[in-house]
Structure formats: structure tokens, C-alpha cells
Amino acid sequence: MKLGQAHDTTTDPLGVLRANLDELLLETDGRMGILMDGSGAVILEAGRSPDLDRTAFASLTVSHLAATRALASLVGEDDLKGLCQQGEHTSLFVAPVADQLILSILFNGRRPSGQVSKEGSRIVSSLEAPLRELIEAGSAGGRPLDPDWVSAAGDEIDRLFEEGA
């Protein structure tokens, strides 16, 4: 199914988003995409990067984006389209999407940063409408977080701080 096409509302919305993100990663030669909320909680991921500590990655991504937004504000910029970091083996694109979420995309490091930025922006644009739809549907019938998940997330955060000390 292509983005923008009508989809069966009985289908798992996150499954549809994951399939869309998988397809976009294939089209753009992206290795992995991680969608997270503003606290760093991973909502979904697509693609592969097995050696990545996703919890630490998400937490650091949220912090990095917040720091960059603060810097943008200091120099008079209101909006941030996305961040592109180019490494030797991996390039990273990070951008806000649907006002409440953050998408990080890992690309092969041999790609020029301009191409990473262009493809990352394309993926964010393609996912914007379906994510807004999902957020609106969720806020209409909002359900509380699973207490076991909240407890496990707290334990993981404690573990990360203990290991970092």
C-alpha cells in the first residue's frame, strides 16, 4: 500500500505506518528509522541496525533535538526542518514530525549529507499526514499507558544512568 491511499481502518495503524516506513527506507536506501515521542519513548522502528541500544539512542536524539532547537531560537530561527549528521559509516537524519513526534533515520555513511537531508525530509513529509491521523484518532479515544511498560521504562532509564556513572 502506498502512502496517501485509503486504508482499512481495521488494520493496525502502527503496522500500516511501519510498512510505509519500511517501503520508504527501501526507496531511499535508508538502513533504519525510529519514531519516538518527545520523551524518547520508541513508538515504532523499521529497517535494521541490530547493535543499536534503542533506548539510549532515542534519549540522546531527543536531547540533541532540544539543544538544537534552543540554539536555533538563540539565532532567531523559529522552526527547524531537520538535522543531518554525517559519519564515516553512518549518517543520521533527525526531524520533528506531526508536531509531537521525532523521526530518526540512519543511512549508509557514504551518502553525501545533502542527499541524506533530501531523503530524510522526503520520508518525514510522506509520514506527516498518516501520523497526524493516528495522533488524532488516539487522542479521541485516549487510553492510559500500560503500568508494566511505565515500570520497565523507569527501570531502563535507571540502568542507563547507573552505567553512565
PDB file of all heavy atoms in Angstrom, residues 75-107:
ATOM      1  N   VAL A  75      19.539  32.171  17.671  1.00  0.00           N
ATOM      2  CA  VAL A  75      19.951  32.890  16.461  1.00  0.00           C
ATOM      3  C   VAL A  75      18.756  33.403  15.661  1.00  0.00           C
ATOM      4  O   VAL A  75      18.908  33.824  14.523  1.00  0.00           O
ATOM      5  CB  VAL A  75      20.875  32.018  15.571  1.00  0.00           C
ATOM      6  CG1 VAL A  75      22.152  31.680  16.307  1.00  0.00           C
ATOM      7  CG2 VAL A  75      20.172  30.773  15.079  1.00  0.00           C
ATOM      8  N   GLY A  76      17.556  33.322  16.267  1.00  0.00           N
ATOM      9  CA  GLY A  76      16.386  33.913  15.647  1.00  0.00           C
ATOM     10  C   GLY A  76      15.604  33.023  14.704  1.00  0.00           C
ATOM     11  O   GLY A  76      14.775  33.512  13.947  1.00  0.00           O
ATOM     12  N   GLU A  77      15.862  31.727  14.734  1.00  0.00           N
ATOM     13  CA  GLU A  77      15.100  30.803  13.888  1.00  0.00           C
ATOM     14  C   GLU A  77      13.905  30.274  14.674  1.00  0.00           C
ATOM     15  O   GLU A  77      14.035  29.856  15.815  1.00  0.00           O
ATOM     16  CB  GLU A  77      15.973  29.623  13.448  1.00  0.00           C
ATOM     17  CG  GLU A  77      16.993  29.969  12.406  1.00  0.00           C
ATOM     18  CD  GLU A  77      16.374  30.375  11.079  1.00  0.00           C
ATOM     19  OE1 GLU A  77      15.329  29.809  10.690  1.00  0.00           O
ATOM     20  OE2 GLU A  77      16.932  31.267  10.432  1.00  0.00           O
ATOM     21  N   ASP A  78      12.726  30.298  14.038  1.00  0.00           N
ATOM     22  CA  ASP A  78      11.516  29.802  14.692  1.00  0.00           C
ATOM     23  C   ASP A  78      11.318  28.310  14.501  1.00  0.00           C
ATOM     24  O   ASP A  78      10.799  27.623  15.374  1.00  0.00           O
ATOM     25  CB  ASP A  78      10.276  30.516  14.144  1.00  0.00           C
ATOM     26  CG  ASP A  78      10.254  31.974  14.537  1.00  0.00           C
ATOM     27  OD1 ASP A  78      10.829  32.319  15.579  1.00  0.00           O
ATOM     28  OD2 ASP A  78       9.664  32.772  13.780  1.00  0.00           O
ATOM     29  N   ASP A  79      11.698  27.818  13.341  1.00  0.00           N
ATOM     30  CA  ASP A  79      11.382  26.437  13.003  1.00  0.00           C
ATOM     31  C   ASP A  79      12.645  25.697  12.623  1.00  0.00           C
ATOM     32  O   ASP A  79      13.622  26.280  12.151  1.00  0.00           O
ATOM     33  CB  ASP A  79      10.378  26.408  11.844  1.00  0.00           C
ATOM     34  CG  ASP A  79       9.702  25.055  11.696  1.00  0.00           C
ATOM     35  OD1 ASP A  79       9.828  24.203  12.588  1.00  0.00           O
ATOM     36  OD2 ASP A  79       9.046  24.852  10.655  1.00  0.00           O
ATOM     37  N   LEU A  80      12.597  24.408  12.812  1.00  0.00           N
ATOM     38  CA  LEU A  80      13.707  23.540  12.490  1.00  0.00           C
ATOM     39  C   LEU A  80      13.194  22.457  11.554  1.00  0.00           C
ATOM     40  O   LEU A  80      12.256  21.742  11.886  1.00  0.00           O
ATOM     41  CB  LEU A  80      14.239  22.927  13.787  1.00  0.00           C
ATOM     42  CG  LEU A  80      15.284  21.853  13.691  1.00  0.00           C
ATOM     43  CD1 LEU A  80      16.572  22.407  13.116  1.00  0.00           C
ATOM     44  CD2 LEU A  80      15.534  21.285  15.072  1.00  0.00           C
ATOM     45  N   LYS A  81      13.774  22.343  10.401  1.00  0.00           N
ATOM     46  CA  LYS A  81      13.313  21.347   9.425  1.00  0.00           C
ATOM     47  C   LYS A  81      13.900  19.974   9.688  1.00  0.00           C
ATOM     48  O   LYS A  81      13.269  18.965   9.452  1.00  0.00           O
ATOM     49  CB  LYS A  81      13.689  21.787   8.007  1.00  0.00           C
ATOM     50  CG  LYS A  81      13.119  23.121   7.619  1.00  0.00           C
ATOM     51  CD  LYS A  81      11.623  23.077   7.498  1.00  0.00           C
ATOM     52  CE  LYS A  81      11.104  24.401   7.004  1.00  0.00           C
ATOM     53  NZ  LYS A  81       9.954  24.887   7.653  1.00  0.00           N
ATOM     54  N   GLY A  82      15.120  19.918  10.152  1.00  0.00           N
ATOM     55  CA  GLY A  82      15.759  18.635  10.419  1.00  0.00           C
ATOM     56  C   GLY A  82      17.248  18.803  10.635  1.00  0.00           C
ATOM     57  O   GLY A  82      17.826  19.833  10.299  1.00  0.00           O
ATOM     58  N   LEU A  83      17.850  17.791  11.215  1.00  0.00           N
ATOM     59  CA  LEU A  83      19.284  17.770  11.481  1.00  0.00           C
ATOM     60  C   LEU A  83      19.923  16.656  10.669  1.00  0.00           C
ATOM     61  O   LEU A  83      19.373  15.564  10.581  1.00  0.00           O
ATOM     62  CB  LEU A  83      19.550  17.467  12.957  1.00  0.00           C
ATOM     63  CG  LEU A  83      18.853  18.314  13.997  1.00  0.00           C
ATOM     64  CD1 LEU A  83      19.074  17.713  15.378  1.00  0.00           C
ATOM     65  CD2 LEU A  83      19.397  19.723  13.940  1.00  0.00           C
ATOM     66  N   CYS A  84      21.066  16.923  10.125  1.00  0.00           N
ATOM     67  CA  CYS A  84      21.776  15.900   9.368  1.00  0.00           C
ATOM     68  C   CYS A  84      23.194  15.817   9.914  1.00  0.00           C
ATOM     69  O   CYS A  84      23.888  16.830   9.987  1.00  0.00           O
ATOM     70  CB  CYS A  84      21.785  16.268   7.889  1.00  0.00           C
ATOM     71  SG  CYS A  84      22.588  15.032   6.865  1.00  0.00           S
ATOM     72  N   GLN A  85      23.597  14.624  10.326  1.00  0.00           N
ATOM     73  CA  GLN A  85      24.946  14.375  10.813  1.00  0.00           C
ATOM     74  C   GLN A  85      25.564  13.310   9.923  1.00  0.00           C
ATOM     75  O   GLN A  85      24.950  12.269   9.689  1.00  0.00           O
ATOM     76  CB  GLN A  85      24.908  13.866  12.260  1.00  0.00           C
ATOM     77  CG  GLN A  85      24.257  14.816  13.234  1.00  0.00           C
ATOM     78  CD  GLN A  85      25.123  16.037  13.502  1.00  0.00           C
ATOM     79  OE1 GLN A  85      26.330  15.956  13.599  1.00  0.00           O
ATOM     80  NE2 GLN A  85      24.481  17.193  13.612  1.00  0.00           N
ATOM     81  N   GLN A  86      26.765  13.574   9.435  1.00  0.00           N
ATOM     82  CA  GLN A  86      27.400  12.613   8.539  1.00  0.00           C
ATOM     83  C   GLN A  86      28.624  12.031   9.217  1.00  0.00           C
ATOM     84  O   GLN A  86      29.513  12.740   9.659  1.00  0.00           O
ATOM     85  CB  GLN A  86      27.790  13.275   7.222  1.00  0.00           C
ATOM     86  CG  GLN A  86      28.317  12.285   6.220  1.00  0.00           C
ATOM     87  CD  GLN A  86      28.471  12.898   4.843  1.00  0.00           C
ATOM     88  OE1 GLN A  86      28.359  14.101   4.671  1.00  0.00           O
ATOM     89  NE2 GLN A  86      28.733  12.066   3.857  1.00  0.00           N
ATOM     90  N   GLY A  87      28.642  10.686   9.294  1.00  0.00           N
ATOM     91  CA  GLY A  87      29.779   9.976   9.845  1.00  0.00           C
ATOM     92  C   GLY A  87      30.472   9.174   8.764  1.00  0.00           C
ATOM     93  O   GLY A  87      30.061   9.169   7.606  1.00  0.00           O
ATOM     94  N   GLU A  88      31.515   8.474   9.153  1.00  0.00           N
ATOM     95  CA  GLU A  88      32.268   7.677   8.187  1.00  0.00           C
ATOM     96  C   GLU A  88      31.451   6.482   7.697  1.00  0.00           C
ATOM     97  O   GLU A  88      31.470   6.146   6.521  1.00  0.00           O
ATOM     98  CB  GLU A  88      33.556   7.189   8.828  1.00  0.00           C
ATOM     99  CG  GLU A  88      34.468   6.455   7.878  1.00  0.00           C
ATOM    100  CD  GLU A  88      35.769   6.067   8.541  1.00  0.00           C
ATOM    101  OE1 GLU A  88      36.158   6.686   9.553  1.00  0.00           O
ATOM    102  OE2 GLU A  88      36.400   5.128   8.040  1.00  0.00           O
ATOM    103  N   HIS A  89      30.716   5.848   8.618  1.00  0.00           N
ATOM    104  CA  HIS A  89      29.975   4.636   8.268  1.00  0.00           C
ATOM    105  C   HIS A  89      28.460   4.829   8.279  1.00  0.00           C
ATOM    106  O   HIS A  89      27.742   4.064   7.646  1.00  0.00           O
ATOM    107  CB  HIS A  89      30.328   3.497   9.220  1.00  0.00           C
ATOM    108  CG  HIS A  89      31.789   3.196   9.243  1.00  0.00           C
ATOM    109  ND1 HIS A  89      32.434   2.592   8.186  1.00  0.00           N
ATOM    110  CD2 HIS A  89      32.734   3.458  10.169  1.00  0.00           C
ATOM    111  CE1 HIS A  89      33.714   2.472   8.471  1.00  0.00           C
ATOM    112  NE2 HIS A  89      33.926   2.990   9.668  1.00  0.00           N
ATOM    113  N   THR A  90      27.991   5.811   9.016  1.00  0.00           N
ATOM    114  CA  THR A  90      26.553   6.027   9.160  1.00  0.00           C
ATOM    115  C   THR A  90      26.250   7.508   9.164  1.00  0.00           C
ATOM    116  O   THR A  90      26.953   8.288   9.805  1.00  0.00           O
ATOM    117  CB  THR A  90      26.032   5.409  10.481  1.00  0.00           C
ATOM    118  OG1 THR A  90      26.372   4.033  10.514  1.00  0.00           O
ATOM    119  CG2 THR A  90      24.525   5.565  10.611  1.00  0.00           C
ATOM    120  N   SER A  91      25.221   7.884   8.447  1.00  0.00           N
ATOM    121  CA  SER A  91      24.706   9.249   8.506  1.00  0.00           C
ATOM    122  C   SER A  91      23.359   9.205   9.202  1.00  0.00           C
ATOM    123  O   SER A  91      22.637   8.210   9.132  1.00  0.00           O
ATOM    124  CB  SER A  91      24.550   9.830   7.103  1.00  0.00           C
ATOM    125  OG  SER A  91      25.809   9.996   6.502  1.00  0.00           O
ATOM    126  N   LEU A  92      23.032  10.289   9.865  1.00  0.00           N
ATOM    127  CA  LEU A  92      21.830  10.348  10.688  1.00  0.00           C
ATOM    128  C   LEU A  92      21.024  11.580  10.309  1.00  0.00           C
ATOM    129  O   LEU A  92      21.576  12.677  10.193  1.00  0.00           O
ATOM    130  CB  LEU A  92      22.246  10.417  12.156  1.00  0.00           C
ATOM    131  CG  LEU A  92      21.193  10.690  13.209  1.00  0.00           C
ATOM    132  CD1 LEU A  92      20.218   9.527  13.288  1.00  0.00           C
ATOM    133  CD2 LEU A  92      21.856  10.914  14.552  1.00  0.00           C
ATOM    134  N   PHE A  93      19.734  11.381  10.125  1.00  0.00           N
ATOM    135  CA  PHE A  93      18.811  12.488   9.894  1.00  0.00           C
ATOM    136  C   PHE A  93      17.774  12.451  11.004  1.00  0.00           C
ATOM    137  O   PHE A  93      17.204  11.401  11.294  1.00  0.00           O
ATOM    138  CB  PHE A  93      18.125  12.356   8.525  1.00  0.00           C
ATOM    139  CG  PHE A  93      17.197  13.491   8.220  1.00  0.00           C
ATOM    140  CD1 PHE A  93      17.680  14.699   7.753  1.00  0.00           C
ATOM    141  CD2 PHE A  93      15.836  13.365   8.433  1.00  0.00           C
ATOM    142  CE1 PHE A  93      16.833  15.758   7.479  1.00  0.00           C
ATOM    143  CE2 PHE A  93      14.970  14.413   8.162  1.00  0.00           C
ATOM    144  CZ  PHE A  93      15.467  15.614   7.685  1.00  0.00           C
ATOM    145  N   VAL A  94      17.545  13.586  11.652  1.00  0.00           N
ATOM    146  CA  VAL A  94      16.575  13.689  12.753  1.00  0.00           C
ATOM    147  C   VAL A  94      15.666  14.865  12.454  1.00  0.00           C
ATOM    148  O   VAL A  94      16.144  15.952  12.118  1.00  0.00           O
ATOM    149  CB  VAL A  94      17.278  13.926  14.111  1.00  0.00           C
ATOM    150  CG1 VAL A  94      16.262  14.072  15.231  1.00  0.00           C
ATOM    151  CG2 VAL A  94      18.261  12.812  14.428  1.00  0.00           C
ATOM    152  N   ALA A  95      14.351  14.647  12.579  1.00  0.00           N
ATOM    153  CA  ALA A  95      13.416  15.740  12.311  1.00  0.00           C
ATOM    154  C   ALA A  95      12.141  15.560  13.117  1.00  0.00           C
ATOM    155  O   ALA A  95      11.699  14.439  13.361  1.00  0.00           O
ATOM    156  CB  ALA A  95      13.070  15.789  10.829  1.00  0.00           C
ATOM    157  N   PRO A  96      11.548  16.682  13.517  1.00  0.00           N
ATOM    158  CA  PRO A  96      10.222  16.605  14.128  1.00  0.00           C
ATOM    159  C   PRO A  96       9.204  16.240  13.053  1.00  0.00           C
ATOM    160  O   PRO A  96       9.356  16.595  11.889  1.00  0.00           O
ATOM    161  CB  PRO A  96       9.987  18.027  14.650  1.00  0.00           C
ATOM    162  CG  PRO A  96      10.934  18.900  13.908  1.00  0.00           C
ATOM    163  CD  PRO A  96      12.060  18.050  13.423  1.00  0.00           C
ATOM    164  N   VAL A  97       8.178  15.516  13.460  1.00  0.00           N
ATOM    165  CA  VAL A  97       7.131  15.119  12.514  1.00  0.00           C
ATOM    166  C   VAL A  97       5.796  15.146  13.251  1.00  0.00           C
ATOM    167  O   VAL A  97       5.707  14.740  14.405  1.00  0.00           O
ATOM    168  CB  VAL A  97       7.434  13.735  11.885  1.00  0.00           C
ATOM    169  CG1 VAL A  97       7.533  12.659  12.918  1.00  0.00           C
ATOM    170  CG2 VAL A  97       6.414  13.359  10.837  1.00  0.00           C
ATOM    171  N   ALA A  98       4.787  15.668  12.608  1.00  0.00           N
ATOM    172  CA  ALA A  98       3.427  15.755  13.156  1.00  0.00           C
ATOM    173  C   ALA A  98       3.403  16.505  14.490  1.00  0.00           C
ATOM    174  O   ALA A  98       2.624  16.184  15.370  1.00  0.00           O
ATOM    175  CB  ALA A  98       2.811  14.368  13.304  1.00  0.00           C
ATOM    176  N   ASP A  99       4.279  17.475  14.663  1.00  0.00           N
ATOM    177  CA  ASP A  99       4.334  18.379  15.818  1.00  0.00           C
ATOM    178  C   ASP A  99       4.681  17.718  17.149  1.00  0.00           C
ATOM    179  O   ASP A  99       5.176  18.375  18.031  1.00  0.00           O
ATOM    180  CB  ASP A  99       3.022  19.152  15.989  1.00  0.00           C
ATOM    181  CG  ASP A  99       2.714  20.051  14.806  1.00  0.00           C
ATOM    182  OD1 ASP A  99       3.669  20.568  14.195  1.00  0.00           O
ATOM    183  OD2 ASP A  99       1.532  20.212  14.485  1.00  0.00           O
ATOM    184  N   GLN A 100       4.413  16.434  17.331  1.00  0.00           N
ATOM    185  CA  GLN A 100       4.599  15.800  18.631  1.00  0.00           C
ATOM    186  C   GLN A 100       5.629  14.686  18.619  1.00  0.00           C
ATOM    187  O   GLN A 100       5.980  14.171  19.674  1.00  0.00           O
ATOM    188  CB  GLN A 100       3.277  15.205  19.113  1.00  0.00           C
ATOM    189  CG  GLN A 100       2.169  16.208  19.256  1.00  0.00           C
ATOM    190  CD  GLN A 100       0.877  15.518  19.641  1.00  0.00           C
ATOM    191  OE1 GLN A 100       0.878  14.511  20.326  1.00  0.00           O
ATOM    192  NE2 GLN A 100      -0.237  16.059  19.199  1.00  0.00           N
ATOM    193  N   LEU A 101       6.096  14.296  17.446  1.00  0.00           N
ATOM    194  CA  LEU A 101       6.955  13.126  17.347  1.00  0.00           C
ATOM    195  C   LEU A 101       8.286  13.477  16.705  1.00  0.00           C
ATOM    196  O   LEU A 101       8.441  14.548  16.122  1.00  0.00           O
ATOM    197  CB  LEU A 101       6.244  12.040  16.531  1.00  0.00           C
ATOM    198  CG  LEU A 101       4.882  11.616  17.068  1.00  0.00           C
ATOM    199  CD1 LEU A 101       4.188  10.694  16.091  1.00  0.00           C
ATOM    200  CD2 LEU A 101       5.013  10.956  18.430  1.00  0.00           C
ATOM    201  N   ILE A 102       9.230  12.548  16.810  1.00  0.00           N
ATOM    202  CA  ILE A 102      10.557  12.733  16.238  1.00  0.00           C
ATOM    203  C   ILE A 102      10.893  11.480  15.448  1.00  0.00           C
ATOM    204  O   ILE A 102      10.691  10.360  15.930  1.00  0.00           O
ATOM    205  CB  ILE A 102      11.601  12.952  17.342  1.00  0.00           C
ATOM    206  CG1 ILE A 102      11.249  14.193  18.165  1.00  0.00           C
ATOM    207  CG2 ILE A 102      13.006  13.063  16.750  1.00  0.00           C
ATOM    208  CD1 ILE A 102      11.998  14.284  19.478  1.00  0.00           C
ATOM    209  N   LEU A 103      11.411  11.668  14.253  1.00  0.00           N
ATOM    210  CA  LEU A 103      11.833  10.550  13.431  1.00  0.00           C
ATOM    211  C   LEU A 103      13.339  10.641  13.211  1.00  0.00           C
ATOM    212  O   LEU A 103      13.844  11.684  12.811  1.00  0.00           O
ATOM    213  CB  LEU A 103      11.121  10.559  12.080  1.00  0.00           C
ATOM    214  CG  LEU A 103      11.455   9.401  11.139  1.00  0.00           C
ATOM    215  CD1 LEU A 103      10.995   8.063  11.718  1.00  0.00           C
ATOM    216  CD2 LEU A 103      10.836   9.627   9.774  1.00  0.00           C
ATOM    217  N   SER A 104      14.037   9.549  13.509  1.00  0.00           N
ATOM    218  CA  SER A 104      15.468   9.441  13.229  1.00  0.00           C
ATOM    219  C   SER A 104      15.649   8.389  12.155  1.00  0.00           C
ATOM    220  O   SER A 104      15.069   7.310  12.236  1.00  0.00           O
ATOM    221  CB  SER A 104      16.239   9.000  14.469  1.00  0.00           C
ATOM    222  OG  SER A 104      16.258  10.015  15.420  1.00  0.00           O
ATOM    223  N   ILE A 105      16.469   8.707  11.178  1.00  0.00           N
ATOM    224  CA  ILE A 105      16.717   7.786  10.075  1.00  0.00           C
ATOM    225  C   ILE A 105      18.222   7.597   9.942  1.00  0.00           C
ATOM    226  O   ILE A 105      18.979   8.584   9.888  1.00  0.00           O
ATOM    227  CB  ILE A 105      16.139   8.325   8.757  1.00  0.00           C
ATOM    228  CG1 ILE A 105      14.666   8.688   8.934  1.00  0.00           C
ATOM    229  CG2 ILE A 105      16.323   7.310   7.641  1.00  0.00           C
ATOM    230  CD1 ILE A 105      14.151   9.635   7.896  1.00  0.00           C
ATOM    231  N   LEU A 106      18.654   6.353   9.908  1.00  0.00           N
ATOM    232  CA  LEU A 106      20.060   6.025   9.712  1.00  0.00           C
ATOM    233  C   LEU A 106      20.276   5.655   8.254  1.00  0.00           C
ATOM    234  O   LEU A 106      19.519   4.861   7.694  1.00  0.00           O
ATOM    235  CB  LEU A 106      20.471   4.851  10.594  1.00  0.00           C
ATOM    236  CG  LEU A 106      20.303   5.058  12.096  1.00  0.00           C
ATOM    237  CD1 LEU A 106      20.553   3.761  12.834  1.00  0.00           C
ATOM    238  CD2 LEU A 106      21.221   6.149  12.588  1.00  0.00           C
ATOM    239  N   PHE A 107      21.295   6.254   7.650  1.00  0.00           N
ATOM    240  CA  PHE A 107      21.646   5.985   6.267  1.00  0.00           C
ATOM    241  C   PHE A 107      23.082   5.470   6.210  1.00  0.00           C
ATOM    242  O   PHE A 107      23.868   5.686   7.128  1.00  0.00           O
ATOM    243  CB  PHE A 107      21.573   7.263   5.419  1.00  0.00           C
ATOM    244  CG  PHE A 107      20.194   7.792   5.199  1.00  0.00           C
ATOM    245  CD1 PHE A 107      19.662   8.757   6.037  1.00  0.00           C
ATOM    246  CD2 PHE A 107      19.428   7.335   4.138  1.00  0.00           C
ATOM    247  CE1 PHE A 107      18.394   9.256   5.826  1.00  0.00           C
ATOM    248  CE2 PHE A 107      18.153   7.834   3.919  1.00  0.00           C
ATOM    249  CZ  PHE A 107      17.635   8.791   4.770  1.00  0.00           C
TER     250      PHE A 107
END
